[in-house]
Structure formats: structure tokens, C-alpha cells
Amino acid sequence: MKNYLKHHPWHIIEEGFHREFHEVSESICSLGNGRFGLRGNFEEDYSGKSLRGSYFAGVYYPDLTRVGWWKNGYPEYFAKVLNSVNWIGVRIFIDGEALDLDKTQVSNFVRTLDMEQGLLTRSFDLNPPSGGQLTFHFERFCSMADPDAAAIRISIKSEGYQGKITLEPYLDFDVHNKDSNYGDQFWDRVNEEQDDSFSMVSAITKKTAFTVSSFMHSKVEVNGHQVSIASSSVAPMKVSRLYKVDLKKGEELILHKTVVNLSSLYVHPDHQTEEGKKKLGENEVIGYATMKRDHIEAWHKIWDGADIIIDGNVMAQQGIRFNIFQLWQTYTGADARLNIGPKGFTGEKYGGSTYWDTEAYCIPFYLGTADAAIARNLLVYRYLHLQKAIENAAKLGFKDGAALYPMVTINGEECHNEWEITFEEIHRNGAMVYAIYDYIKYTGDTSYLTDGGLEVMIGVARFWSQRVNYSQDKQAWVMLGVTGPNEYENNVNNNWYTNYLARWCMQYAIEQIEWVKQNHPDKWTRIKQTSEFKEEEIGHWQERINGMYFPWDESRKVYLQQDGFLDKDLMHADDLPASERPINQKWSWDRILRSCFIKQADVLQGMYFFEDHFDEDTHRRHFDFYEPMTVHESSLSPCVHAILASRLGKPEKANEMYLRTSRLDLDDYNNDTEDGLHITSMAGSWMSVVRGFAGMQVKDGLLHLAPVLPAGWEGFSFKIHYRERSLGVTVTGGHCDVTLHSGQPLEIVVNNERRQL
Ligand code: BGC
């Protein structure tokens, strides 16, 4: 764990440059606006360890799969969300020496991520050998008000310094992915252009032909007087312009660099130059200050609906805001072609591809903090991929419209290349259906069922019915050779979570088919036709539902994570020496697989999903059995435990898990923040507060709250969107206020008592 960032309710502050954690800070200081984003790299040169990363939503490359031994069924490629144009670059020379914080000594270094306003700032003092002092201040943002725009302001103030400063703002498209399988360059040059008013560079992705163009305008002033460009240069994939200044004592030099970034997802390549120039011109007219004001206003609107205020605990407050901030920077819900990558725009590992994380974790967040249309867009994304999911299943030998959604995808095709995960972690198929159920339960909107949802359910139910086989030995339907959510077990038989989810998916599909038949017979006729549904399928599913096998230990009265789980040497994670954790960085894979240690909620994930199916004692027994063996080395784990612990009246555990989920990256619990942030699990932090501490659930069409106040908090409050209403919830010691901010009167249930709003 690391503890070098200051605690503050709205800011993430690094005081003094922590060179050793620079890549961690780069991840944490990432900025984005849903369309594009970048790591918190420095504008100027930096020769120390750094991952320069700039990414555009939906722009990817199918990097040829690299494996030791090819197996039939492997995906051809692993989709990479591409590292693209460096649009922040500004080289700075002081008396001919390049500024490089890996080499140049500076003092009073402060780097601040202002989450309230969406600004990244940095300042420091430098004493050049020629004498005097220079004070630097950097500020930048990716506009939330205009998703194509970004801007940078750099101020250099002389205190007793006199000498030559050269500034070279540039755009550089000669960029490589660090995680490229064969060291390929994924971009081909398109063109570069430059004149007095603008510079631009454009490139196209190999194979996928996405075109991205970046445009910049720069302006330099000394004490308010404009400095003209000394020279400019155009080279393949790179454009730059040079400003030379003789800075005198007491003077301030200011550079404004405004940027427009366009991708072919939104602007046809033939029109990008014209559009980019136009937008750049418009932004020049409104100016940096107005762009910044509009951007801050856009953030204020987001915070107004999505903020969680925690009183009396700055660490907890900073954690949750950091999570909400990063989620909204990654996905704003405006485009059903996009989704939420586990690392968003903050790193390459896992890229911006879509995992089951979206359905299991992110959808509840967007349901609660935004209009239902956003969560619906995420559901539609999977409906648009249904045909590919059917093809994906067919490649593995399934038939008759069975659908297997990919574990990792960017366009509907499976694109992960680890056997145990790609093929065996089939539980993700159930999450697709669970998300539809969650959406309908929360919003009360059943229209999605007949607009695609039911077809997804039918495809998934068909898959499960073919994936199980009848065991004569057990006289039950079993599911062999799977990996559950706990990836520290591979190729197991009868993973309880997967079997349970599979049975539920078949049951839910039958119920929804009946409902649509009754309520929308005309639509059912269409769905039946498009999915080539045969009535006898229901009988097949029912047979499996009735006879599904679940591993169970009678003496402990717990469901077993999988067959044979009790053969393991059962130990508590707390008994592991700190020097051996995280085990995925300290132990061999062989040792991990044999151990009892659980990477992330597995049986407990199912208990969380289907809370109402089990009584409190059953929940408690399972939590007490599995949680102590859980090492939480997946970011998706602590939040589920925080929610369950909170509901089971285990405030200390709930608090510990809450801090772990909400501060996972800020404190670098798993020693991997340098690879990028854990964006999807950030939705779990929100769930920990709203579904955990506030106990929010929808049961029988009614919104329930059962709040508890975590130890060390004086109170907390948040707003939620619920069925076309905005509600405010404030919890203080022994008190819960619920306010209806907008929408029709509503009946809710607080601590089992019905209340009218
Ligand atoms: C987890 C998966 C998750 C993936 C992406 C893995 O470490 O085990 O459940 O889908 O990360 O977040």
C-alpha cells in the first residue's frame, strides 16, 4: 500500500515529486471526457519511467493473438484500445537545456487533480544555473462541455531570472502500444498540415481503418504581449511550432494550447480537416477562460446528480469522489456503440474492451446516477452483439441459436487469448441476463424486453441448456470444466455460482416468455420468428432447472464453490505473511491454483445477486466461511463484501472493504495502479454506499432503504434517479431523511416501514 497522496474532500494532491511512484500518479491523474482521455503524463519531456497514454473511445486494433501452443477455438486477435496521438506535448528549454523532471531539480512541486472542476494542475519552482527563480504552473482539462476539445495553460514566472526560454508545443502521432504482441506500429500516417493559425496531424489504424486527427492552436504571451512564432516544423506524423522568448526579471510567460481531437466514429475522415479547423477557430474565439468555465459548469451538473457527500471522514469522502469522477470521465452514456473498459482511458492492460464488469457492476451505478436511457444503452450494446454471440457459441460447437457472449470484446467478437478465461469463464453469459433483470426491476420499464432483451435471454438460456450434461452418477445435471468468477481456480466442475446463475437464467427466460406472450402477443410472434423459438425448448430448460446439481456441505451447511473444494488445505488469508501478498505477484500459478485462496467473490457474488433467495442465517454462514479465504486480488471483490457485510451487521468489515474498494487505486492496495485505474470496480464503490450502507434495494416494485452509518462517519447523503424521479437521501446517526426533488409522489419503504414521499 502507498500513502503519499494528501487526503482532501475534492482534490488528490501530491506534494513533492515522488519519482518512484510517477506511473501510479500518471494513472491517478488521468483525465477524459467519454470520447477521449489520457494518463496524467507531463506536457514536457520526461526521461524517467513513464507510460505515455492517450486513448480514443472505440478506436481499437485487432492485435494478432500470441500464444505458446495454438488450440482450436482461440480468438484470432486480442483487441487493443490504441495508444494514440500525444496532443499535450510542449517541450520547454531554459537557456537551451530541456526541462525534464527526471533530471532537473525542482522545489515546491505540487500536482493536484481537482475533481470538482475536472482540472489537472501542477506547479514547482526551478532555480536555473544562471541565477534567479522560475515558477511553473500547468493546468489542463478535457472538456466535458465539448467532447472534441481540450486545453492546456502553462505559466512561467520569473523571479530574479533573466534568460532564454524556448517553448515547442507539438502533436506527435508516432506512438506505439506498450502491450503490442509483435512490436507493431498500429497507425499509418495520413497527413500533417500547419499554418499560422493551426497545426494538425492525422493517422489511420491498420486493419480497422479508424482515422483520428488532432488539431492544435497555440498562443504565447509575455506580460500580456503576444510572442510570434519563431519557426515551425512538419515531419511525418509530427508537427510543432517554436516560440523563443528573452524573459526578463519579474515577467510572466503564458502559453495556451487549445486542442480539437476528432475520430472517425464521429466525423468522417474526409471532413475531419475542415471540421477540426472550424472547431479550433470557434474555440479560439471563445477563449481559454470561457472553455474552462463551460467545462466546470458541465462537471457541476454531473456532481449535482452523482455526488456522494460523506461527513466526518475525509479519506472515505476522497475515495468515493475519485471513483465517481473517473467513471464519468470514462463513459457518459451518449453512444450505444461504446462501453466501459476496466481501465478506461488510463492504461493499456485490459484496454478499453468490455467485460462482464459492465453488467454486474456499472449498470447499477448508471441506473442510480443518471437517466435510465444510459443503462439502457449499455443493454442495447449487448443486443447489437447477439448475432456475434451466437456465432461465438457456434465456433465452440453449440447450435440452434445458443449465444455465448465473449469474456472480452470490443465489437461483439471474443478477443481474449487465455484459455481458462476466454472459454471457461462462461458465467459472464448469465450477467447479461441479470443486467436486464436489474434494469427492469429498478426502472419498472419492461419495454426493453420486447425491444431485444427477450432475444438475448433466449440465446443465453439455449446456451446453458446445451452446456450442462446429465450425470448418471449424480442423477443430476452438472456443468463441467468452467472457471467461476474466482480466477484462482481453473477448469473446475460444478462451480456453484455458474450452476446457480445458469438455472436462474433458464427460469427467468421461461417466465419472461410467458409474460410477453400474455401481454404483447404480437411482439411475441415477431420474437418467436426471429429467434426461431420452438415451444418444446421450454420443456428442455425445465428439465434442467428441476434437476440441476449444486455442491453442498451438510456439516457446515454451505454450498461449495465447486466439486472437491473441501479437499483443499483451508486457511485464512490473514494468516499469510504480508511479504507473500498479493499472492498473484509472489506465488507460482501452480501454488495459487492448489490453494484455497479466493481471488474475488464467487459463491458470495451469487448470494449478493440473489439476496432474496436466501435467509439471513444462510447469508451469514456463507460469508463467514468464504470471506476469510478471500484475498480480494480482483478489484471487483471488496465492494460485494462491503455490501454483504453491511447487511449482515458487520460494520467493521464493511468499512474495511469500503475503504479497500474506494481507495484501491489511491492507496494502490494491489500494487498495480501503475498499469491504469480499476474503472469498472469504481462502480462497486458507489454500490457499497448506496446498496450497502444505505441498504437500497427494489423489492416487489418498491424502493427499500435500510441505512446504517459506518463507524467514523458522521453522516452521508446522495441523490438517486429512480423511475423518472430524483430522490435525495441523507443518513445521520439514527436518522434518515428522504426528499423527493422531482417527479411524482412515491411510496418507499424505510427500515421495513412504508412511507409516502
Ligand atoms: C477479474 C475479472 C474481471 C477482469 C476485468 C479480472 O482480474 O478476475 O472478473 O472481469 O479482471 O476487470
Side-chain angles (χ1 to χ4, degrees):
M1 264 179 76
K2 301 187 174 60
N3 186 16
Y4 71 101
L5 300 168
K6 287 228 145 352
H7 298 157
H8 184 284
W10 278 110
H11 297 166
I12 313 292
I13 307 163
E14 177 191 1
E15 276 181 3
F17 179 39
H18 292 73
R19 188 179 275 94
E20 68 285 21
F21 303 142
H22 181 52
E23 286 177 298
V24 174
S25 307
E26 285 183 326
S27 297
I28 288 173
C29 294
S30 295
L31 291 181
N33 63 5
R35 283 268 175 97
F36 63 89
L38 78 168
R39 288 169 56 79
N41 308 122
F42 291 163
E43 284 82 355
E44 75 280 11
D45 292 358
Y46 184 72
S47 57
K49 260 188 100 204
S50 157
L51 169 61
R52 266 213 178 268
S54 149
Y55 309 93
F56 282 75
V59 174
Y60 71 95
Y61 176 81
D63 201 13
L64 217 55
T65 301
R66 191 184 182 111
V67 286
W69 200 287
W70 187 266
K71 291 187 179 73
N72 260 353
Y74 266 160
E76 295 287 313
Y77 65 89
F78 183 48
K80 304 256 151 88
V81 165
L82 291 191
N83 205 341
S84 51
V85 59
N86 168 6
W87 54 263
I88 56 164
V90 180
R91 302 196 71 201
I92 301 174
F93 299 87
I94 300 146
D95 298 324
E97 277 296 308
L99 175 69
D100 172 352
L101 292 203
D102 193 46
K103 298 188 178 126
T104 318
Q105 275 306 315
V106 297
S107 53
N108 300 323
F109 177 98
V110 184
R111 164 160 48 183
T112 306
L113 178 66
D114 175 341
M115 302 181 285
E116 187 175 20
Q117 311 202 62
L119 300 173
L120 179 63
T121 62
R122 181 163 55 106
S123 55
F124 51 84
D125 296 330
L126 187 154
N127 294 91
S130 58
Q133 187 172 24
L134 291 170
T135 298
F136 286 78
H137 187 82
F138 296 73
E139 178 177 271
R140 73 168 176 250
F141 59 90
C142 295
S143 178
M144 271 291 188
D146 173 356
D148 300 322
I152 299 169
R153 179 185 188 274
I154 302 176
S155 134
I156 308 175
K157 213 168 176 173
S158 153
E159 272 149 49
Y161 166 87
Q162 185 144 342
K164 290 193 188 316
I165 308 272
T166 306
L167 297 178
E168 188 185 4
Y170 66 90
L171 300 170
D172 181 7
F173 226 133
D174 187 10
V175 177
H176 287 73
N177 264 54
K178 192 176 170 186
D179 68 346
S180 154
N181 280 347
Y182 297 91
D184 295 338
Q185 155 74 291
F186 300 140
W187 294 98
D188 277 332
R189 176 185 166 213
V190 175
N191 72 321
E192 307 81 23
E193 251 183 86
Q194 177 147 265
D195 68 19
D196 279 357
S197 62
F198 89 110
S199 312
M200 69 88 68
V201 56
S202 177
I204 183 166
T205 55
K206 293 184 170 139
K207 294 187 187 169
T208 38
F210 291 106
T211 302
V212 168
S213 301
S214 188
F215 302 79
M216 74 164 174
H217 178 274
S218 57
K219 191 162 94 186
V220 173
E221 289 173 352
V222 174
N223 277 9
H225 300 292
Q226 199 159 333
V227 176
S228 21
I229 301 171
S231 63
S232 52
S233 113
V234 179
M237 299 183 110
K238 186 165 177 178
V239 286
S240 68
R241 34 177 67 199
L242 215 65
Y243 297 88
K244 293 186 171 173
V245 174
D246 279 315
L247 198 68
K248 305 211 174 49
K249 291 181 183 170
E251 285 185 334
E252 184 183 18
L253 175 136
I254 295 175
L255 164 83
H256 284 112
K257 177 174 176 180
T258 46
V259 172
V260 167
N261 286 321
L262 300 178
S263 95
S264 51
L265 254 75
Y266 300 98
V267 181
H268 191 279
D270 294 349
H271 304 136
Q272 287 187 356
T273 305
E274 182 197 338
E275 179 70 9
K277 277 187 189 175
K278 189 174 129 239
K279 290 211 110 182
L280 207 56
E282 285 165 4
N283 287 342
E284 215 24 56
V285 172
I286 64 170
Y288 182 90
T290 308
M291 281 176 76
K292 179 172 153 183
R293 191 203 58 205
D294 293 349
H295 162 72
I296 292 172
E297 264 175 25
W299 265 115
H300 280 170
K301 278 200 192 112
I302 294 175
W303 283 118
D304 184 47
D307 193 17
I308 293 183
I309 300 165
I310 296 174
D311 292 322
N313 193 319
V314 178
M315 265 179 98
Q317 174 70 84
Q318 187 185 41
I320 194 66
R321 286 204 171 122
F322 180 65
N323 289 234
I324 296 168
F325 177 70
Q326 291 296 351
L327 274 161
W328 275 100
Q329 294 204 110
T330 308
Y331 183 77
T332 56
D335 186 341
R337 292 170 300 174
L338 302 181
N339 211 286
I340 307 142
K343 297 263 180 263
F345 302 124
T346 72
E348 294 174 12
K349 193 177 168 198
Y350 297 124
S353 298
T354 308
Y355 286 64
W356 71 298
D357 307 24
T358 295
E359 283 69 27
Y361 295 80
C362 300
I363 284 189
F365 170 78
Y366 286 102
L367 276 174
T369 59
D371 195 84
I374 293 190
R376 193 178 166 122
N377 261 354
L378 291 168
L379 299 181
V380 170
Y381 175 91
R382 296 294 191 172
Y383 173 63
L384 297 176
H385 290 175
L386 177 60
Q387 195 47 40
K388 294 264 184 209
I390 293 173
E391 287 163 24
N392 188 36
K395 278 189 204 152
L396 304 184
F398 297 88
K399 49 186 198 253
D400 302 330
L404 175 59
Y405 277 91
M407 182 63 183
V408 185
T409 194
I410 199 125
N411 58 7
E413 289 169 10
E414 178 60 79
C415 66
H416 199 297
N417 55 19
E418 267 191 65
W419 181 270
E420 295 78 6
I421 293 173
T422 311
F423 296 103
E424 295 189 343
E425 230 180 300
I426 52 177
H427 66 82
R428 78 267 183 167
N429 226 23
M432 307 302 138
V433 177
Y434 188 82
I436 301 172
Y437 159 79
D438 213 13
Y439 173 86
I440 295 175
K441 188 164 75 152
Y442 191 81
T443 62
D445 169 19
T446 49
S447 68
Y448 180 64
L449 257 185
T450 47
D451 288 350
L454 194 58
E455 282 141 285
V456 170
M457 286 179 201
I458 291 173
V460 169
R462 284 170 170 164
F463 171 79
W464 293 124
S465 75
Q466 294 173 35
R467 185 58 173 76
V468 292
N469 65 280
Y470 194 74
S471 157
Q472 288 301 338
D473 182 47
K474 293 192 164 65
Q475 291 287 299
W477 292 91
V478 294
M479 194 156 5
L480 309 180
V482 307
T483 293
N486 169 20
E487 292 176 348
Y488 290 175
E489 300 278 356
N490 293 164
N491 200 37
V492 297
N493 294 338
N494 294 312
N495 169 256
W496 179 81
Y497 172 77
T498 311
N499 285 16
Y500 199 84
L501 196 57
R503 183 179 69 168
W504 173 82
C505 284
M506 291 188 278
Q507 183 67 55
Y508 188 56
I510 294 175
E511 288 163 14
Q512 299 315 304
I513 288 171
E514 289 310 322
W515 189 86
V516 173
K517 274 184 190 169
Q518 300 278 319
N519 295 284
H520 300 281
D522 47 331
K523 292 191 174 158
W524 170 244
T525 310
R526 179 194 65 76
I527 295 169
K528 193 173 171 182
Q529 224 165 35
T530 51
S531 56
E532 295 177 23
F533 181 79
K534 296 178 205 64
E535 290 299 331
E536 64 262 29
E537 291 188 65
I538 296 210
H540 292 290
W541 300 349
Q542 197 61 59
E543 208 183 323
R544 286 148 180 80
I545 293 167
N546 296 344
M548 187 73 97
Y549 172 74
F550 298 103
W552 167 256
D553 175 41
E554 185 52 35
S555 62
R556 291 179 179 81
K557 301 224 173 318
V558 292
Y559 289 109
L560 296 176
Q561 190 178 267
Q562 73 254 1
D563 285 353
F565 187 77
L566 290 180
D567 292 338
K568 288 172 180 274
D569 186 5
L570 300 183
M571 292 167 62
H572 283 188
D574 282 350
D575 295 335
L576 285 169
S579 59
E580 295 189 17
R581 294 180 73 171
I583 60 172
N584 66 16
Q585 291 171 19
K586 304 290 166 74
W587 284 12
S588 70
W589 190 234
D590 168 72
R591 189 171 173 197
I592 290 175
L593 290 181
R594 284 185 285 113
S595 81
C596 70
F597 295 117
I598 300 171
K599 182 182 179 190
Q600 66 201 93
D602 194 299
V603 172
L604 296 185
Q605 180 79 37
M607 296 263 154
Y608 157 69
F609 270 178
F610 300 109
E611 187 180 353
D612 294 345
H613 296 192
F614 307 98
D615 61 23
E616 196 180 319
D617 278 352
T618 309
H619 273 287
R620 194 174 299 282
R621 277 197 311 279
H622 285 81
F623 190 90
D624 291 346
F625 182 62
Y626 286 110
E627 195 284 328
M629 290 185 271
T630 308
V631 286
H632 305 294
E633 289 178 13
S634 160
S635 60
L636 301 179
S637 189
C639 57
V640 173
H641 290 82
I643 298 169
L644 293 175
S646 170
R647 291 187 184 166
L648 288 171
K650 295 174 181 280
E652 276 172 27
K653 185 48 88 182
N655 220 6
E656 177 199 332
M657 290 293 121
Y658 167 73
L659 283 178
R660 193 162 172 154
T661 180
S662 65
R663 298 193 57 89
L664 180 86
D665 288 315
L666 291 178
D667 297 339
D668 199 7
Y669 272 85
N670 289 342
N671 201 26
D672 60 0
T673 302
E674 62 184 27
D675 296 335
L677 302 175
H678 299 85
I679 298 291
T680 44
S681 73
M682 291 181 173
S685 305
W686 179 90
M687 284 174 7
S688 305
V689 178
V690 176
R691 293 198 174 190
F693 299 139
M696 186 190 80
Q697 275 181 298
V698 177
K699 287 193 237 177
D700 302 324
L702 286 176
L703 187 81
H704 285 239
L705 294 167
V708 288
L709 189 63
W713 294 19
E714 285 162 16
F716 64 101
S717 55
F718 57 87
K719 279 188 186 165
I720 44 166
H721 279 252
Y722 179 71
R723 303 196 176 188
E724 290 166 14
R725 295 168 180 88
S726 166
L727 308 185
V729 178
T730 301
V731 179
T732 46
H735 201 81
C736 173
D737 269 333
V738 186
T739 311
L740 180 64
H741 289 300
S742 68
Q744 296 299 309
L746 178 74
E747 187 172 38
I748 63 166
V749 182
V750 183
N751 290 329
N752 295 322
E753 272 183 47
R754 284 180 177 243
R755 297 296 176 104
Q756 195 67 32
L757 291 181

